[in-house]
Short mmCIF file of all heavy atoms in Angstrom, two decimals:
data_model
loop_
_atom_site.label_atom_id
_atom_site.label_comp_id
_atom_site.label_asym_id
_atom_site.label_seq_id
_atom_site.Cartn_x
_atom_site.Cartn_y
_atom_site.Cartn_z
N ASP A 131 -22.34 4.76 -9.07
CA ASP A 131 -21.57 3.67 -8.47
C ASP A 131 -20.68 4.14 -7.33
O ASP A 131 -20.38 3.36 -6.42
CB ASP A 131 -20.72 2.98 -9.54
CG ASP A 131 -21.59 2.29 -10.58
OD1 ASP A 131 -22.30 1.33 -10.21
OD2 ASP A 131 -21.57 2.71 -11.75
N ALA A 132 -20.23 5.40 -7.34
CA ALA A 132 -19.39 5.92 -6.26
C ALA A 132 -19.29 7.43 -6.36
O ALA A 132 -19.44 8.01 -7.44
CB ALA A 132 -17.99 5.30 -6.30
N ILE A 133 -19.03 8.04 -5.21
CA ILE A 133 -18.74 9.48 -5.15
C ILE A 133 -17.27 9.63 -4.78
O ILE A 133 -16.78 8.97 -3.87
CB ILE A 133 -19.62 10.18 -4.10
CG1 ILE A 133 -21.10 10.03 -4.45
CG2 ILE A 133 -19.25 11.66 -3.97
CD1 ILE A 133 -22.04 10.54 -3.38
N VAL A 134 -16.57 10.51 -5.51
CA VAL A 134 -15.15 10.74 -5.26
C VAL A 134 -14.97 12.16 -4.71
O VAL A 134 -15.48 13.13 -5.28
CB VAL A 134 -14.31 10.58 -6.53
CG1 VAL A 134 -12.83 10.80 -6.24
CG2 VAL A 134 -14.52 9.19 -7.13
N ILE A 135 -14.27 12.26 -3.58
CA ILE A 135 -13.99 13.55 -2.95
C ILE A 135 -12.50 13.67 -2.68
O ILE A 135 -11.81 12.66 -2.54
CB ILE A 135 -14.79 13.74 -1.64
CG1 ILE A 135 -14.44 12.62 -0.64
CG2 ILE A 135 -16.29 13.78 -1.91
CD1 ILE A 135 -15.07 12.81 0.74
N PRO A 136 -11.98 14.90 -2.59
CA PRO A 136 -10.56 15.06 -2.26
C PRO A 136 -10.32 14.98 -0.76
O PRO A 136 -11.23 15.22 0.04
CB PRO A 136 -10.25 16.47 -2.79
CG PRO A 136 -11.56 17.21 -2.66
CD PRO A 136 -12.64 16.18 -2.89
N VAL A 137 -9.10 14.63 -0.38
CA VAL A 137 -8.73 14.60 1.04
C VAL A 137 -8.90 15.98 1.65
O VAL A 137 -9.47 16.13 2.74
CB VAL A 137 -7.28 14.11 1.20
CG1 VAL A 137 -6.77 14.36 2.61
CG2 VAL A 137 -7.18 12.62 0.88
N LYS A 138 -8.43 17.01 0.95
CA LYS A 138 -8.60 18.39 1.42
C LYS A 138 -9.53 19.12 0.48
O LYS A 138 -9.40 19.04 -0.74
CB LYS A 138 -7.25 19.09 1.49
CG LYS A 138 -6.34 18.55 2.58
CD LYS A 138 -5.09 19.40 2.74
CE LYS A 138 -4.23 18.88 3.90
NZ LYS A 138 -3.00 19.69 4.07
N GLY A 139 -10.47 19.86 1.06
CA GLY A 139 -11.41 20.60 0.23
C GLY A 139 -12.71 19.87 -0.02
O GLY A 139 -13.44 20.21 -0.94
N GLY A 140 -13.00 18.87 0.81
CA GLY A 140 -14.26 18.16 0.70
C GLY A 140 -15.09 18.31 1.97
O GLY A 140 -14.57 18.73 3.01
N ALA A 141 -16.35 17.98 1.89
CA ALA A 141 -17.24 18.10 3.05
C ALA A 141 -16.90 17.04 4.09
O ALA A 141 -16.53 15.91 3.75
CB ALA A 141 -18.69 17.95 2.63
N MET A 142 -17.03 17.41 5.35
CA MET A 142 -16.87 16.44 6.43
C MET A 142 -18.14 15.59 6.51
O MET A 142 -19.25 16.11 6.57
CB MET A 142 -16.63 17.16 7.75
CG MET A 142 -16.35 16.22 8.91
SD MET A 142 -15.97 17.15 10.41
CE MET A 142 -15.61 15.81 11.54
N ILE A 143 -17.97 14.28 6.48
CA ILE A 143 -19.14 13.40 6.51
C ILE A 143 -19.52 13.16 7.96
O ILE A 143 -19.04 12.23 8.62
CB ILE A 143 -18.85 12.10 5.75
CG1 ILE A 143 -18.44 12.43 4.32
CG2 ILE A 143 -20.08 11.20 5.76
CD1 ILE A 143 -18.09 11.23 3.48
N ASN A 144 -20.37 14.03 8.45
CA ASN A 144 -20.81 13.95 9.84
C ASN A 144 -22.29 13.57 9.91
O ASN A 144 -22.88 13.16 8.92
CB ASN A 144 -20.55 15.29 10.55
CG ASN A 144 -21.26 16.46 9.88
OD1 ASN A 144 -22.15 16.27 9.06
ND2 ASN A 144 -20.86 17.67 10.23
N GLY A 145 -22.85 13.68 11.10
CA GLY A 145 -24.25 13.31 11.29
C GLY A 145 -25.20 14.11 10.43
O GLY A 145 -26.19 13.58 9.93
N ASP A 146 -24.91 15.41 10.24
CA ASP A 146 -25.77 16.24 9.40
C ASP A 146 -25.75 15.76 7.95
O ASP A 146 -26.79 15.74 7.29
CB ASP A 146 -25.30 17.71 9.46
CG ASP A 146 -25.66 18.37 10.77
OD1 ASP A 146 -26.60 17.89 11.43
OD2 ASP A 146 -25.01 19.36 11.14
#
Side-chain angles (χ1 to χ4, degrees):
D131 294 295
I133 299 173
V134 181
I135 59 174
V137 167
K138 291 188 177 180
M142 184 176 183
I143 303 178
N144 58 15
D146 286 337

